Amino acid sequence: MPQENVFDRFVAWTRANVLLIDATAAVVLALVCAAAATATLTGVATDPGAVLVSVLLCLPLALRRVRPEVSGALVAAAGLLEPFVVDTPPLANAAVLVALYSLAAYAAPWASRGGLALGLLGAVVVSARYVLPYSGAFRALPVTLFVAVLVVATWLLGSLRRAFRQNEVALRERARLLEVERENESRLAATAERQRIAREMHDVVAHSLSVIIAQADGGRYAAAADPSAAAQALGTISATGRQALADMRGLLGVLRQGPGDERAPQPDAAQVADLVAQVRASGLDVQLDVLGEPRELPRAVGLAAYRIVQESLTNVLKHAGPAARARVEVRWDPDALRLGVDDDGRGAAAMVAPSPGGQGLVGMAERARLHGGAVTSGPRSGGGFRVRATLPYASPS
């Protein structure tokens, strides 16, 4: 692992200091080529113009990656000067191939194609200037072909490097987009979870407080005439408060735990009867009708059914008025679970308007839509209010 870290740091340093690296290499190459151009094998000075050309060919390579077009133009100018001032091709001609590679790898496409054309032209000029006058066309043609093949091979290597760079950039951009997408998905998931918890909190708190208020009012009026009824009301208040507290602790427990921890109590359609009994104990005259054969439901669908009935009965307690009666119908049809809650109270006008927090009738409709179902609600003819819900047995993907 330490070796990998050292290597990664070295690669990062080289990428951040390309100008320093290329400038150093260009100076070293210029010194070597200039020294080679100043002497023959016997150590006697020869062809002073080769020194100038060697320096002019090598030094522009310092800009070969940061300003490849400028570097290539300077090298090309020095190459065009060479046939006029140099009698023997210097070692520095290798810098032409380096410049051509840099143009193909790092420069704009027009500069890359221009460098290839100049390189092929240079192959002809070299043969015509340094081979043809002394060895004839028989040897000049193979030299021209050899230099042309070398130029094309260098340009292809540079183009391959360009393709690798473009692929690397595309992969980095894709990784960036994937990271942005993951952040967006996490944000959407957090928003959906907040909405789910808001619906649960509303259902738990609104229902429990409605029952407690109804029992407290009834117990207060019955305390003088019937102490036993007041004691029963207090018992219902106590049981409802404990249940609400347990539900709240469960919801907060889910918030404290990590993802996937589902230890909160999850009521379902099988507990609708207990819910009706609890509401009936609070003083509301409510009837339950179960039609069809109950079946196993997905947990989320069962919870949605329970909460829809709970919210509907809570609205009856809050809006239907005294002496109201309600009827809950749970119908197990072959394709879906259908729920109905009717009352004959006088609170229809209050129930039509959505609650300020958007968690009443709107919340019921949202629950149903999450599972491919629907909720309709509105006043009944002759008075009262009606809620109808349809929940398919299988939630959509």
Side-chain angles (χ1 to χ4, degrees):
M1 185 63 67
Q3 294 179 351
E4 293 180 358
N5 291 336
V6 171
F7 177 76
D8 292 340
R9 288 197 295 269
F10 174 75
V11 172
W13 182 85
T14 57
R15 288 179 175 176
N17 297 275
V18 292
L19 180 59
L20 175 63
I21 295 172
D22 290 343
T24 303
V27 170
V28 172
L29 182 61
L31 293 176
V32 171
C33 292
T38 59
T40 62
L41 293 176
T42 60
V44 180
T46 180
D47 200 358
V51 176
L52 175 63
V53 170
S54 297
V55 174
L56 294 178
L57 285 173
C58 295
L59 288 183
L61 296 182
L63 303 174
R64 71 182 190 89
R65 282 189 283 185
V66 295
R67 292 290 186 273
E69 295 86 357
V70 175
S71 174
L74 294 175
V75 171
L80 293 175
L81 177 65
E82 178 182 335
F84 300 99
V85 298
V86 178
D87 295 329
T88 302
L91 178 64
N93 280 330
V96 175
L97 297 178
V98 177
L100 178 60
Y101 172 87
S102 302
L103 285 173
Y106 305 107
W110 64 267
S112 173
R113 292 189 291 267
L116 176 61
L118 287 176
L120 294 176
L121 177 62
V124 177
V125 172
V126 167
S127 297
R129 171 67 175 83
Y130 298 111
V131 180
L132 184 62
Y134 308 104
S135 302
F138 181 75
R139 290 190 176 181
L141 182 59
V143 172
T144 302
L145 292 177
F146 173 76
V147 175
V149 169
L150 194 60
V151 167
V152 172
T154 302
W155 184 82
L156 290 176
L157 285 175
S159 298
L160 185 62
R161 172 58 181 162
R162 175 192 293 273
F164 285 153
R165 289 179 60 248
Q166 291 175 343
N167 185 57
E168 182 181 1
V169 171
L171 289 176
R172 289 180 179 176
E173 179 64 14
R174 182 180 179 186
R176 186 189 69 82
L177 293 177
L178 287 175
E179 183 65 25
V180 171
E181 183 179 356
R182 280 194 294 269
E183 292 178 358
N184 290 336
E185 289 178 351
S186 299
R187 191 177 299 110
L188 290 175
T191 300
E193 183 65 11
R194 285 195 297 269
Q195 292 175 347
R196 184 189 72 82
I197 292 173
R199 288 194 299 267
E200 295 294 320
M201 293 282 285
H202 171 269
D203 291 341
V204 170
V205 174
H207 173 76
S208 301
L209 288 181
S210 296
V211 173
I212 289 172
I213 291 171
Q215 287 293 312
D217 289 341
R220 184 181 60 185
Y221 292 124
D226 189 356
S228 62
Q232 183 180 0
L234 291 175
T236 301
I237 291 173
S238 176
T240 303
R242 286 192 179 94
Q243 182 61 43
L245 182 61
D247 290 346
M248 292 286 290
R249 284 175 175 171
L251 287 172
L252 296 177
V254 171
L255 293 177
R256 286 192 297 267
Q257 300 299 324
D261 193 332
E262 299 290 345
R263 298 192 297 177
Q266 299 291 321
D268 56 22
Q271 296 177 261
V272 169
D274 297 335
L275 174 64
V276 170
Q278 182 187 42
V279 174
R280 187 183 295 123
S282 70
L284 177 66
D285 184 1
V286 54
Q287 174 187 349
L288 173 64
D289 294 331
V290 179
L291 307 176
E293 186 67 26
R295 63 172 66 190
E296 188 80 15
L297 289 177
R299 183 173 59 180
V301 177
L303 176 62
Y306 181 91
R307 295 302 190 197
I308 288 172
V309 175
Q310 184 183 51
E311 175 64 23
S312 300
L313 291 177
T314 300
N315 286 337
V316 174
L317 286 171
K318 292 195 298 184
H319 304 298
R325 292 177 298 177
R327 176 176 175 271
V328 177
E329 179 180 282
V330 179
R331 192 168 77 247
W332 300 86
D333 287 343
D335 59 331
L337 173 63
R338 288 180 169 81
L339 306 170
V341 179
D342 294 10
D343 71 79
D344 59 359
R346 299 187 299 274
M351 293 174 64
V352 172
S355 61
Q359 299 296 333
L361 299 176
V362 175
M364 287 192 289
E366 289 177 351
R367 283 186 183 275
R369 281 197 300 270
L370 286 175
H371 306 290
V375 171
T376 59
S377 58
R380 297 172 56 211
S381 60
F385 201 80
R386 169 180 297 163
V387 175
R388 293 290 182 269
T390 301
L391 296 171
Y393 294 130
S395 296
S397 300

